[in-house]
Amino acid sequence: MTAEARSIRHWLEQATRRLDAHSESPRLDAELLLAHCLQRDRSWLMAWPEHPLEPEMVDCFQALLRQRLEGQPVAYLLGEREFWSLSLAVTPATLVPRPETELLVETALEWLADRPAPRLLELGTGSGAIALALKKERADADITATDISPRALAVAAGNARRHRLDIRFLVSDWYAAIDGGAVFDLILSNPPYIAAGDPFLQRGDLPAEPQQALCSGPEGLEALRRIIAGAPGRLKSGGGLMLEHGYRQGDAVRGLLQAEGFERVHSLEDFSGLPRVSLGTKPGPVQGEVEIHRPPS
Ligand code: GLN
């Protein structure tokens, strides 16, 4: 084999071609997997394209590539994914955090801007991404985060330890383990919201992710309904409920929030211009209320 045939460039190009039909980001996937084997970052690969790969590194790369071609998400193969500049452990017990979910974090931070020492409840935390991002920005917040999956919560708790962020984790089927009583300033969730049987569930990396974290009833609205119905009993007056949902569910979610008595109900668009987060306020006296509006794009 010539030196060129064994170079980083050679292996990356070959892997990119093989991944082309399987991934929306074949080159990036190949770079991330090879960088992981080499324990380097991607910029090192870019700087040393002629560098030959040792046989063990080729074996490592080919093994990861095989799993990627079988549909394993890159995040599971690397064991981590970045969210809100936090490197988070992820496993097949947790959904891979999505960049669009940062909208929920941004919206919550704006909403909380004038509220000191807020009490927050995040339902269905998975890897802990949302709760940890909020705690990182708001050390004064008292945050409870739940998940129905003890395995997911173990991952979230590990992430909290790794980043030294203090969150109360509870195994809970939505509100089941949360006492009634209006104590929270803000409840938020990125629940499962894809309709069972939606062909989208067969696409890309979704089949490898926990279906419990992705799909919810015939219209994808079961979890959203339960979360909205249970929120007024746990929110202080003037408290907020903030939900991520599918891009075609804005009308339905706003309708559910209004039917439950929420005020100032509106939706916000993600970076793709799709309605992605809806929120409302429980009626009652409020101090320092800020309304968040983003112009429609
Ligand atoms: N937005 C995710 C996706 O489309 C779904 C996440 C969820 O169900 N909460 O892949």
Side-chain angles (χ1 to χ4, degrees), residues 4-5 15 28-29 35 42 46 56 59 81 87 93 119 122 141 144 163 171 177 190 192 196 205 221 249 252 292:
E4 170 58 21
L28 176 64
D29 292 8
R42 282 170 55 226
M46 303 303 98
E56 315 82 83
D59 291 348
R81 170 58 41 106
S87 174
R119 292 195 63 178
E122 194 219 339
T144 301
H163 293 288
V171 178
N190 170 21
D205 294 352
L221 289 169
Q249 292 172 326
I292 299 152

Side-chain angles (χ1 to χ4, degrees), residues 108-209:
L109 290 173
E110 285 182 49
W111 196 89
L112 292 168
D114 298 338
R115 292 172 165 87
R119 292 195 63 178
L120 312 188
L121 173 62
E122 194 219 339
L123 298 170
T125 194
S127 62
I130 295 166
L132 293 167
L134 291 171
K135 185 68 183 176
K136 180 183 168 199
E137 301 298 333
R138 287 293 301 260
D140 64 331
D142 176 284
I143 306 183
T144 301
T146 72
D147 207 284
I148 195 169
S149 160
R151 285 171 62 224
L153 274 190
V155 175
N159 282 325
R161 274 195 302 278
R162 173 174 177 183
H163 293 288
R164 297 177 199 280
L165 294 167
D166 188 20
I167 310 271
R168 186 179 309 105
F169 291 108
L170 274 182
V171 178
S172 183
D173 181 6
W174 303 126
Y175 297 102
I178 309 291
D179 294 335
V183 293
F184 294 102
D185 295 285
L186 179 64
I187 298 175
L188 70 174
S189 183
N190 170 21
Y193 53 69
I194 301 174
D198 189 323
F200 183 69
L201 290 166
Q202 304 307 320
R203 299 232 316 254
D205 294 352
L206 271 73
E209 294 187 284

Side-chain angles (χ1 to χ4, degrees), residues 95 98 100 190-194 200 206 213-214 244 276:
L95 199 71
R98 313 286 205 257
E100 62 266 28
N190 170 21
Y193 53 69
I194 301 174
F200 183 69
L206 271 73
L214 286 169
E244 180 175 320
R276 185 60 68 190

Side-chain angles (χ1 to χ4, degrees), residues 107-116 118 184-186 235-242 261-266 279-293:
T107 309
L109 290 173
E110 285 182 49
W111 196 89
L112 292 168
D114 298 338
R115 292 172 165 87
F184 294 102
D185 295 285
L186 179 64
L235 282 173
K236 299 179 189 172
S237 61
L241 175 60
M242 211 166 270
F262 282 90
E263 293 179 341
R264 316 175 80 146
V265 171
H266 58 289
L279 59 152
T281 304
K282 179 175 161 176
V286 201
Q287 301 153 0
E289 177 76 310
V290 276
E291 189 150 5
I292 299 152
H293 274 302

